[in-house]
């Protein structure tokens, strides 16, 4: 007996595809939607034979129609890596704003509960540490990250407005740096960058002096937190992330140890507006959802490294395997 139908936007992406797996496992019918700009069909090809799984190739910043009932909508469509926002800034803004509006409208017409993927980037380069949900953030709206950060901030505002004005059932998750199998090796983010460099026998590129920090959460932990938040009755934003904070320089050293590479660390310029520190305060998630991360960085990195090692030579050397030009409007 199928529990209900769930729409997952960005369903072919890193997080979206793991959510598809989780909802299929929980006994739901999953409708995945993706325009495949940064998502990849290989992430969900193992689900295509299931009658409980459908895939729509669609850009959610255009009008979204799904026939039949929907119980839940999870809006995870968006470029999510700083180099992607730089390549496709307008689409990044559109999917967070127009896309969110379309999906809120769809949720309303279906009587569905919607969970939107927000981000620790709403805190910008934070002046409060660790970041609690009450912190309003320190975002440069016109900097290189502004297109993502402001789209996600608008997304939160729009989602709350639909909740207060239309009584829509909404949930907002603020996701901190997450890693695991199915990240794109060339997406520019630090973990695939370092592991890709190690596998190709290149030096590891640390930006700035490497003293900036991040806190990395393994994807299975994140998915568990999202699932619990969706099923809870809490409408205000909730941080989901692993508070285990590390400097990027120490992280590079961990990757060198993990991969056994003989390469060295080289230093590159520090990107504009790159947050200098980031760590989630997860008091709310613990209290409201009974959630906390279970997978240590050592364990999670081992699994992720195995995944990257299993990729073909072609995938390893494809630096920019997707041409974005056709999509620029
Ligand atoms: N970074 C780095 N070398 C790289 C890629 C990223 O030192 O090859 C740094 C980047 O400057 C940032 C951190 O790693 O301080 C995390 O970057 P990422 O793009 O993964 O995500 P962010 O948290 O900045 O959105």
């Amino acid at each position: 007996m199928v529990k209900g139908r769930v729409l997952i936007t960005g369903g072919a992406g890193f997080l979206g595809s793991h959510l598809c797996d989780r909802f299929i496992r929980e006994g739901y019918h999953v409708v995945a939607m993706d325009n495949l700009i940064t998502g990849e069909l290989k992430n969900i090809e193992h689900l295509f034979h299931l009658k409980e799984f459908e895939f729509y190739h669609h850009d959610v910043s255009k009008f979204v129609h799904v026939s039949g009932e929907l119980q839940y909508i999870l809006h995870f469509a968006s470029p999510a890596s700083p180099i992607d926002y730089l390549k496709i800034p307008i689409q990044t803004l559109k999917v967070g704003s127009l896309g969110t509006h379309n999906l809120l409208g769809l949720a309303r017409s279906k009587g569905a509960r919607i969970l939107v993927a927000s981000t620790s980037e709403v805190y910008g380069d934070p002046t409060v540490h660790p970041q609690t949900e009450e912190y309003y953030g320190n975002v440069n709206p016109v900097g290189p990250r502004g297109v993502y950060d402001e789209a996600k901030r608008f997304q939160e505002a729009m989602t709350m407005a639909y909740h207060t004005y239309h009584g829509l059932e909404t949930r907002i998750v603020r996701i901190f740096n997450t890693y695991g199998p199915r990240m794109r090796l060339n997406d520019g983010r630090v973990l695939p960058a370092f592991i890709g460099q190690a596998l190709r026998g290149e030096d590891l590129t640390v930006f700035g002096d490497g003293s900036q920090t991040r806190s990395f959460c393994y994807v299975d932990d994140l998915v568990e937190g999202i699932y619990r938040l969706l099923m809870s009755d809490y409408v205000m934003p909730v941080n989901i992330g692993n508070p285990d904070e590390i400097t990027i320089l120490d992280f590079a050293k961990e990757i060198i140890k993990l991969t056994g590479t003989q390469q060295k660390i080289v230093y590159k310029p520090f990107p504009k507006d790159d947050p200098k520190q980031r760590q989630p305060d997860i008091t709310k998630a613990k209290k409201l959802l009974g959630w906390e991360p279970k997978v240590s960085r050592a364990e999670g990195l081992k699994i992720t490294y195995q995944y990257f090692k299993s990729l073909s030579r072609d995938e390893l050397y494809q630096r920019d395997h997707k041409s974005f030009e056709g999509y620029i409007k």
Side-chain angles (χ1 to χ4, degrees):
M1 191 40 201
V2 176
K3 278 189 188 161
R5 290 175 90 228
V6 183
L7 171 65
I8 300 176
T9 76
F14 166 46
L15 298 182
S17 66
H18 283 280
L19 286 165
C20 289
D21 286 343
R22 175 64 186 259
F23 279 86
I24 288 284
R25 228 176 26 248
E26 295 287 340
Y28 289 90
H29 182 107
V30 170
V31 180
M33 192 173 276
D34 205 300
N35 64 1
L36 301 178
I37 293 187
T38 58
E40 303 191 73
L41 285 178
K42 72 171 178 140
N43 291 337
I44 46 170
E45 67 187 1
H46 58 285
L47 299 174
F48 271 83
H49 70 283
L50 298 172
K51 65 177 188 326
E52 297 80 20
F53 183 76
E54 290 171 75
F55 176 72
Y56 290 12
H57 185 190
H58 182 68
D59 178 350
V60 298
S61 59
K62 312 230 162 65
F63 180 80
V64 181
H65 175 71
V66 175
S67 55
E69 288 178 7
L70 282 178
Q71 189 173 356
Y72 300 119
I73 297 174
L74 290 98
H75 181 28
F76 277 70
S78 178
S81 158
I83 60 161
D84 287 342
Y85 334 142
L86 289 175
K87 281 185 198 152
I88 43 173
I90 314 286
Q91 283 83 347
T92 303
L93 278 159
K94 282 167 76 176
V95 72
S97 56
L98 307 181
T100 300
H101 189 206
N102 289 336
L103 292 158
L104 288 164
L106 181 68
R108 205 173 151 227
S109 74
K110 300 281 184 191
R113 179 181 297 182
I114 181 168
L115 179 147
V116 296
S118 187
T119 167
S120 56
E121 284 280 327
V122 300
Y123 304 124
D125 186 7
T127 54
V128 165
H129 192 75
Q131 292 79 55
T132 61
E133 289 86 348
E134 283 67 39
Y135 177 49
Y136 293 162
N138 177 35
V139 171
N140 173 4
V142 293
R145 290 173 178 254
V147 293
Y148 182 68
D149 301 7
E150 296 297 359
K152 292 291 188 181
R153 289 170 69 95
F154 174 88
Q155 175 185 64
E156 290 196 6
M158 192 68 157
T159 302
M160 283 312 294
Y162 264 69
H163 174 72
T164 49
Y165 188 70
H166 290 305
L168 191 69
E169 284 221 52
T170 57
R171 306 288 181 269
I172 299 172
V173 58
R174 289 187 181 152
I175 299 169
F176 284 66
N177 295 66
T178 305
Y179 69 97
R182 301 183 193 158
M183 285 187 103
R184 268 163 44 229
L185 194 57
N186 60 359
D187 86 352
R189 281 188 282 186
V190 68
L191 181 142
F194 286 171
I195 292 187
Q197 287 161 345
L199 287 172
R200 289 188 298 264
E202 299 166 2
D203 291 337
L204 275 64
T205 52
V206 165
F207 297 165
D209 62 5
S211 62
Q212 71 272 31
T213 67
R214 293 294 185 273
S215 308
F216 297 97
C217 184
Y218 187 64
V219 62
D220 289 357
D221 281 333
L222 180 89
V223 166
E224 178 63 29
I226 290 168
Y227 191 82
R228 288 188 190 205
L229 177 61
L230 178 69
M231 299 304 163
S232 79
D233 56 9
Y234 191 72
V235 297
M236 296 304 283
V238 178
N239 290 339
I240 299 286
N242 189 326
D244 188 4
E245 185 180 2
I246 183 171
T247 68
I248 294 302
L249 182 58
D250 285 343
F251 190 60
K253 290 178 185 162
E254 276 192 6
I255 300 291
I256 288 175
K257 210 163 146 210
L258 172 79
T259 58
T261 177
Q262 302 298 309
Q263 302 301 132
K264 56 183 193 315
I265 290 170
V266 291
Y267 295 89
K268 300 275 177 193
F270 190 66
K272 182 165 166 46
D273 294 342
D274 195 302
K276 285 176 258 331
Q277 53 180 1
R278 181 181 289 157
Q279 186 197 48
D281 181 316
I282 58 165
T283 311
K284 269 212 173 84
K286 277 186 183 162
K287 211 162 102 196
L288 297 166
L289 314 175
W291 175 87
E292 62 183 323
K294 299 254 180 314
V295 182
S296 69
R297 201 168 52 242
E299 276 173 275
L301 284 181
K302 231 186 261 168
I303 303 167
T304 309
Y305 179 46
Q306 286 309 320
Y307 168 78
F308 283 127
K309 268 208 303 200
S310 73
L311 297 180
S312 68
R313 233 189 110 71
D314 272 4
E315 285 171 296
L316 187 59
Y317 283 91
Q318 262 165 5
R319 298 304 173 100
D320 196 8
H321 68 305
K322 296 215 168 179
S323 165
F324 291 90
E325 278 163 28
Y327 295 99
I328 307 290
K329 302 255 168 14

